[in-house]
Amino acid sequence: MGGTTRKDVDAFIDALDHPLLPLIRALRTLLLALDPAISDEIKWNAPSFRTTGHFATMQLRRPDAVRLVLHLGARPRSLAAAIADPDGLLTWLGPDRELLEFRTVAELDSRRAAVTALLRQWMAQLA
């Protein structure tokens, strides 16, 4: 585990000056609810999520969107063919990295089932 705890992540988010703070909190809640093995910490100046290794990191640079970058860490391999995305939510940044982007809590809520399915598929590739 890294150097930050759940309380540290809470404090980091509470201190953020970001117009989409409710969306950041909702996305974090969705990720942590996927599996009890998931923990979060601050990495790359943003909430990052892990089981045995990091697999997702928020990107908070844009004031109009919250991005979630899914990655494989030190085990790069092509997953494009292994991840079903019937709703076309993913933007592939490379063969082992994808991006989900949200602009509102309502958008995240309306896509919750599809996003959860994508995240579960991604996590299955970590084993």
Side-chain angles (χ1 to χ4, degrees), residues 1-6 8-13 16 28 40-49 54 57 60:
M1 184 82 174
T4 56
T5 66
R6 179 136 319 151
D8 294 327
V9 179
D10 290 340
F12 176 88
I13 291 172
L16 280 175
R28 180 184 183 217
D40 60 348
E41 60 187 63
I42 302 302
K43 188 169 179 132
W44 302 299
N45 202 32
S48 187
F49 302 85
H54 289 270
T57 303
L60 305 175

Side-chain angles (χ1 to χ4, degrees), residues 95-118:
D96 63 343
R97 187 169 300 208
E98 66 182 71
L99 176 76
L100 291 165
E101 184 174 273
F102 307 97
R103 296 184 183 280
T104 66
V105 173
E107 178 187 19
L108 176 62
D109 286 345
S110 72
R111 296 177 172 178
R112 184 172 298 275
V115 170
T116 297
L118 289 170

Side-chain angles (χ1 to χ4, degrees), residues 4-112:
T4 56
T5 66
R6 179 136 319 151
K7 287 183 181 183
D8 294 327
V9 179
D10 290 340
F12 176 88
I13 291 172
D14 289 345
L16 280 175
D17 181 20
H18 196 288
L20 299 178
L21 200 51
L23 176 57
I24 293 166
R25 287 189 171 115
L27 183 56
R28 180 184 183 217
T29 298
L30 184 148
L31 279 152
L32 292 174
L34 283 173
D35 189 303
I38 296 173
S39 63
D40 60 348
E41 60 187 63
I42 302 302
K43 188 169 179 132
W44 302 299
N45 202 32
S48 187
F49 302 85
R50 63 178 290 140
T51 53
T52 56
H54 289 270
F55 68 90
T57 303
M58 286 188 195
Q59 189 184 81
L60 305 175
R61 292 183 282 232
R62 295 182 58 175
D64 64 335
V66 173
R67 292 176 163 183
L68 184 67
V69 179
L70 301 181
H71 48 80
L72 295 175
R75 298 179 304 240
R77 62 188 179 276
S78 180
L79 291 185
I83 305 294
D85 180 20
D87 297 304
L89 300 180
L90 300 175
T91 300
W92 285 92
L93 304 174
D96 63 343
R97 187 169 300 208
E98 66 182 71
L99 176 76
L100 291 165
E101 184 174 273
F102 307 97
R103 296 184 183 280
T104 66
V105 173
E107 178 187 19
L108 176 62
D109 286 345
S110 72
R111 296 177 172 178
R112 184 172 298 275

